[in-house]
Amino acid sequence: MKYGYYPGCSLERNAIAYQQSTMAIAKPLGIEFIEVEDWNCCGATEYFAIDALAAYALVGRNLALASQQKLNGDRNQLVAPCSACFLNLYKTDHYMAEDNKLNANVNEALAAGGLHYDPGTVKVRHLLDIIVNDIGYEAIAERVTKPLFNLRVAPYYGCMIVRPASIESFDNPEYPTSLDKLTHSLGAEVVDFPLKAHCCGGHMTQISENTALELIRRLLKNAADYDADMIVTLCPMCQLNLDAYQENVNKHFGTNFHIPVLYFTQLMGLAFGLSANNLGLGKEFINAKPALDKISSEPLKKQRRKKRPPKETLPMPTMPEES
Amino acid sequence: METNLQTSRTPTFYDEVIRDTPGGDPNLEMCIQCGTCGGSCPSGADMDHTPRNLFAMINAGMKEDVLRSNSPWYCVSCYYCMVRCPQEIHITDIMYTLKRMAIKEGLYRESSASEAPGFSETFIHYVENYGRSFELGLATWHHLRYHPINAIRMASTMGLELLRKGRMDLTPTRIKNMPQLKKILKKAKAIGGTT
């Protein structure tokens, strides 16, 4: 299967592990990615706060280049692994179709650079979407040579892959399950992670660190409460916040979290038996090795779940005995 | 004659917010003040006003109070409010509109998030000149400008670790056809900045 590919700035450097592991799993899955030539930044959440039309035009240039390049013949599907890039590309295409004035203005700006984009010509999709829907869970399970038995994984989606729902979404905006099923097909034990679609704080670490650290703390605590060995994510911003800021959270709140945060593509690569060196392992701040060492060759029969406390220890009201 | 009266009146703050929010009708007039937005907001507790509150204030024409509020800057673009809003108001997009207006009017300086626009501006400085974002430059300049002590702390811990792990570049990357991107952005700004 051939797809257009928009890596985005993060995958070039900060999320290089995501890029390496995506390329590594593409081959066994029969996926060919064709990168948009000379793509530019999507503007993240910053450009829209300064200049709306310039922001839409910035994204529009990428869509115009992608449509011009006829990346994968008539299907013209563009895959973005970063949730922020995915949303900006998707949303710009959608809003240009909804809003004639925006469409005209963006195209007037693009024309200054000799480009044009008709909304709807490129179908923007997230990497997770094509993996679970085009490849499918069964085909993935068939590629697994080293199942991730005994590894408890909390699947973390964050925000921009499933929201806003006013735009058609491939998964539920509040309670997505695609990453859960994918993790399950790799043999791992899936944690039913209540905060799986909550926010990591995005750029708030730079605006109000206290607000951001609290959001990160909630996610880490929730994963720890559910006995997760690791968190698996699909967005460079989420990975950076949960991983690189974990020590700051510990200092700030006096906690002692030590939960590695990997990309789902890294786990797929490990389950496919690919070498850790090709999957960008070791780039994470919180070392994932101790968690990965828990993987056993056989599924353990005994659940490691915490036992419920005996009823007697709960502060239950007691009814007075009838006389 | 009612129609003439309507079309000739000076646009109110409420009209301006709707006009400057691209992507079709943001449905702002549909707000029923239910508060689902504020209840769903991850940073709502740190906001001066919840989105529901802001919308009532916009309706009442309280332009300065709205644009002085830290709320738009504390919006993390998680879109929970937009998903849950029973009236399908484009809340996150309206927050972006309020950010742009606060910058235009200079009122952001009076909010408790007065450094936030500077972060966005530094970010887009690299995008407008290189076509790509540049994390090292962004973090360094932002912190040097607002938190010199933090800049040293950042550089000595997280920054170094990111560099050591090959997760940060020392120099920005420039796209090939930068002149084309500059022409597009210049034209977009000339058209009006907003749509």
Side-chain angles (χ1 to χ4, degrees):
Chain A
M1 270 180 258
K2 236 181 186 182
Y3 294 95
Y5 187 64
Y6 176 88
C9 304
S10 289
L11 271 86
E12 297 262 288
R13 196 45 64 197
N14 167 38
I16 186 100
Y18 197 9
Q19 170 76 359
Q20 287 170 344
S21 51
T22 299
M23 292 305 135
I25 60 157
K27 209 177 169 190
L29 292 176
I31 299 174
E32 191 189 337
F33 288 121
I34 304 151
E35 194 168 318
V36 178
E37 239 170 78
D38 207 35
W39 55 270
N40 54 258
C41 172
C42 76
T45 49
E46 310 311 322
Y47 217 161
F48 291 92
I50 305 288
D51 190 321
L53 188 55
Y56 282 110
L58 180 82
V59 184
R61 180 176 177 271
N62 292 318
L63 292 169
L65 291 176
S67 84
Q68 207 176 45
Q69 214 174 311
K70 294 210 185 316
L71 298 159
N72 42 357
D74 299 332
R75 287 166 66 232
N76 237 345
Q77 304 208 36
L78 183 62
V79 173
C82 165
S83 298
C85 300
F86 162 71
L87 178 65
N88 280 344
L89 292 162
Y90 199 110
K91 192 172 151 181
T92 300
D93 178 56
H94 183 76
Y95 276 9
M96 280 174 78
E98 290 277 301
D99 184 340
N100 292 337
K101 198 177 166 195
L102 178 69
N103 186 15
N105 284 341
V106 169
N107 270 308
E108 195 184 334
L110 288 177
L115 293 174
H116 179 82
Y117 180 69
D118 287 321
T121 32
V122 171
K123 187 166 169 51
V124 183
R125 301 179 68 188
H126 194 280
L127 177 66
L128 178 67
D129 177 13
I130 65 146
I131 286 185
V132 301
N133 290 317
D134 294 2
I135 308 288
Y137 305 108
E138 281 178 21
I140 291 163
E142 281 169 21
R143 300 276 182 291
V144 173
T145 54
K146 289 186 176 165
L148 310 175
F149 292 139
N150 198 35
L151 184 69
R152 280 182 63 82
V153 178
Y156 177 55
Y157 301 77
C159 309
M160 295 173 172
I161 185 172
V162 284
R163 286 189 296 272
S166 54
I167 301 177
E168 187 193 342
S169 168
F170 73 94
D171 206 337
N172 188 293
E174 298 231 24
Y175 194 76
T177 50
S178 49
L179 184 59
D180 293 57
K181 291 182 212 156
L182 173 65
T183 313
H184 179 74
S185 68
L186 303 177
E189 209 179 306
V190 183
V191 173
D192 191 6
F193 186 34
L195 296 190
K196 60 182 170 183
H198 278 233
C199 180
C200 75
H203 74 178
M204 279 310 275
T205 50
Q206 308 302 310
I207 310 295
S208 164
E209 203 176 355
N210 286 352
T211 306
L213 292 179
E214 168 58 17
L215 297 183
I216 301 168
R217 184 198 67 84
R218 286 179 203 171
L219 294 168
L220 294 171
K221 178 175 186 299
N222 197 226
D225 281 352
Y226 280 73
D227 264 349
D229 293 324
M230 68 164 57
I231 294 172
V232 65
T233 184
L234 40 79
C235 170
M237 187 83 250
C238 300
Q239 202 282 340
L240 182 75
N241 278 349
L242 288 173
D243 179 34
Y245 282 90
Q246 202 167 128
E247 268 315 300
N248 294 30
V249 167
N250 284 338
K251 270 183 209 150
H252 190 83
F253 294 101
T255 49
N256 192 24
F257 296 120
H258 202 78
I259 308 172
V261 187
L262 293 185
Y263 293 103
F264 74 99
T265 43
Q266 292 180 290
L267 280 196
M268 287 178 78
L270 284 174
F272 292 173
L274 305 176
S275 149
N277 293 336
N278 297 335
L279 300 170
L281 282 160
K283 299 268 183 205
E284 67 280 359
F285 273 55
I286 307 294
N287 187 3
K289 200 172 175 301
L292 295 174
D293 284 345
K294 289 185 182 173
I295 298 172
S296 58
S297 51
E298 293 294 323
L300 292 193
K301 280 177 193 155
K302 219 172 80 183
Q303 294 256 329
R304 293 186 306 123
R305 280 250 161 156
K306 272 182 194 164
K307 272 190 192 161
R308 275 174 183 273
K311 265 187 185 165
E312 298 72 50
T313 65
L314 296 172
M316 298 295 283
T318 47
M319 295 294 286
E321 277 178 35
E322 275 179 52
S323 55
Chain B
M1 286 296 104
E2 208 182 330
T3 324
N4 280 347
L5 273 175
Q6 272 187 353
T7 47
S8 62
R9 72 181 163 86
T10 320
T12 59
F13 177 46
Y14 179 83
D15 297 331
E16 288 172 19
V17 172
I18 293 176
R19 184 196 62 200
D20 292 350
T21 307
D25 187 353
N27 300 332
L28 183 55
E29 75 283 4
M30 305 288 282
C31 178
I32 53 169
Q33 292 288 300
C34 70
T36 304
C37 44
S40 305
C41 181
S43 43
D46 295 324
M47 285 181 172
D48 292 338
H49 311 91
T50 61
R52 177 195 68 78
N53 213 323
L54 277 186
F55 297 158
M57 289 161 76
I58 293 171
N59 214 352
M62 297 164 73
K63 185 172 182 174
E64 295 205 349
D65 294 292
V66 169
L67 299 184
R68 239 185 245 126
S69 172
N70 73 2
S71 307
W73 303 105
Y74 273 62
C75 168
V76 286
S77 297
C78 77
Y79 293 89
Y80 251 121
C81 53
M82 241 167 111
V83 160
R84 291 177 175 170
C85 176
Q87 300 295 82
E88 298 181 1
I89 300 172
H90 294 191
I91 302 173
T92 313
D93 292 311
I94 292 170
M95 289 297 177
Y96 278 120
T97 302
L98 296 178
K99 288 181 193 186
R100 293 192 296 273
M101 286 181 153
I103 293 174
K104 199 171 144 198
E105 304 285 336
L107 289 167
Y108 72 90
R109 288 189 206 99
E110 295 168 36
S111 95
S112 60
S114 57
E115 301 160 7
F119 178 75
S120 298
E121 276 161 7
T122 312
F123 184 95
I124 70 163
H125 163 80
Y126 287 103
V127 175
E128 288 180 346
N129 288 289
Y130 295 91
R132 296 280 177 88
S133 73
F134 177 45
E135 282 152 349
L136 178 65
L138 174 64
T140 316
W141 278 111
H142 181 69
H143 284 287
L144 280 178
R145 192 166 160 194
Y146 297 108
H147 315 277
I149 294 166
N150 260 9
I152 296 161
R153 198 191 67 185
M154 280 278 295
S156 62
T157 54
M158 196 181 296
L160 272 186
E161 191 65 7
L162 284 169
L163 281 173
R164 200 175 67 79
K165 291 195 178 283
R167 287 177 63 171
M168 193 146 78
D169 275 322
L170 283 170
T171 49
T173 311
R174 194 192 296 268
I175 63 167
K176 280 183 229 150
N177 204 343
M178 201 53 220
Q180 180 191 50
L181 179 60
K182 283 203 171 183
K183 276 183 209 158
I184 292 171
L185 296 179
K186 194 178 164 197
K187 186 69 185 176
K189 287 177 188 177
I191 297 170
T194 52
T195 52

